[in-house]
Amino acid sequence: ELEIENLESLSYLNKELQAFAEKIEGDANLCSEAVEIFEELESEEETMVSELFGKRSVTTQVFRRITGGRYGDVRYDPANKTILVVRPSGESLSADKLSKGAFDQLYLSIRIDLAQKLLGGRKGFFVMDDAFLSSSPRRFSEQASLLRRLSRMGWQIVYFTVRAEDSKALGRISGNKVIKLKSLP
């Protein structure tokens, strides 16, 4: 609402416009710097996620072991932000294409790797709630063996299940007493 009546008011308008342009330029520079920081953070995150995968990763080693070698590698595809599993034949498929049992085994493998990384080599504990519910009897046996190995390495595991046969098998394997919880009203 500035009326230009003389050179003085025109000069004032010029100063205001320059200040406005400088503010916009400053905001643009700040936004550009923020985008660079976010891209750097995203890149660091991608690197951290990638470290969980690959032929030599704990995730791949555990997954290969508990699937009986049906999958030789677990990879991360940063372009599509998906986890891929690779069969010995070289065929790869995304994790969402796995059976429920294989999918559960994959995420157990990832949790084991993450826990080891987060604890820096120290042992911790897992609380599992029917982690093997979708597993066939053979897969359950492989996964129970994995829990036995983790336990021998010093990991503590609390496993909740609704299946009596699972609790009995895990009790035999661990040598621990099975605690049956009362049903909630």
Side-chain angles (χ1 to χ4, degrees):
E1 295 185 30
L2 179 65
E3 291 185 31
I4 308 298
E5 297 175 357
N6 55 34
L7 285 176
E8 188 178 315
S9 58
L10 187 58
S11 176
Y12 177 75
L13 177 62
N14 184 34
K15 286 179 188 173
E16 290 291 312
L17 288 174
Q18 282 181 342
F20 182 68
E22 287 172 8
K23 182 178 179 343
I24 290 174
E25 195 173 297
D27 288 350
N29 287 336
L30 286 174
C31 287
S32 178
E33 287 178 30
V35 166
E36 284 179 27
I37 290 170
F38 290 136
E39 286 173 347
E40 196 173 305
L41 287 172
E42 181 180 27
S43 175
E44 287 174 13
E45 222 172 87
E46 294 270 333
T47 300
M48 287 171 33
V49 167
S50 311
E51 289 174 1
L52 288 172
F53 305 102
K55 282 195 181 283
R56 305 185 103 168
S57 71
V58 170
T59 297
T60 294
Q61 292 170 16
V62 170
F63 190 58
R64 185 181 310 126
R65 187 178 306 133
I66 62 178
T67 60
R70 285 186 305 279
Y71 301 96
D73 196 4
V74 180
R75 297 180 187 158
Y76 179 69
D77 177 6
N80 295 313
K81 298 189 183 316
T82 58
I83 297 171
L84 302 171
V85 295
V86 182
R87 293 188 175 164
S89 66
E91 175 192 6
S92 66
L93 56 146
S94 62
D96 63 342
K97 302 288 188 235
L98 294 171
S99 69
K100 175 75 171 113
F103 186 85
D104 291 347
Q105 290 172 326
L106 173 62
Y107 279 88
L108 173 62
S109 303
I110 293 168
R111 284 192 298 270
I112 290 169
D113 196 352
L114 274 173
Q116 288 183 347
K117 283 178 176 38
L118 289 172
L119 294 173
R122 296 183 319 257
K123 304 305 178 208
F125 66 92
F126 288 105
V127 176
M128 298 179 167
D129 184 9
D130 263 332
F132 309 144
L133 191 61
S134 301
S135 299
S136 68
R138 185 182 56 75
R139 280 190 176 162
F140 176 82
S141 177
E142 292 166 353
Q143 292 165 324
S145 293
L146 174 65
L147 293 183
R148 185 179 326 124
R149 281 194 295 276
L150 287 171
S151 177
R152 287 180 181 154
M153 291 168 54
W155 288 89
Q156 300 293 313
I157 301 161
V158 177
Y159 191 96
F160 293 94
T161 184
V162 297
R163 292 189 346 192
E165 63 271 17
D166 289 1
S167 64
K168 287 176 187 173
L170 290 170
R172 277 192 309 274
I173 289 168
S174 69
N176 293 321
K177 179 182 172 193
V178 173
I179 301 169
K180 186 172 181 177
L181 302 175
K182 291 181 183 179
S183 297
L184 294 174

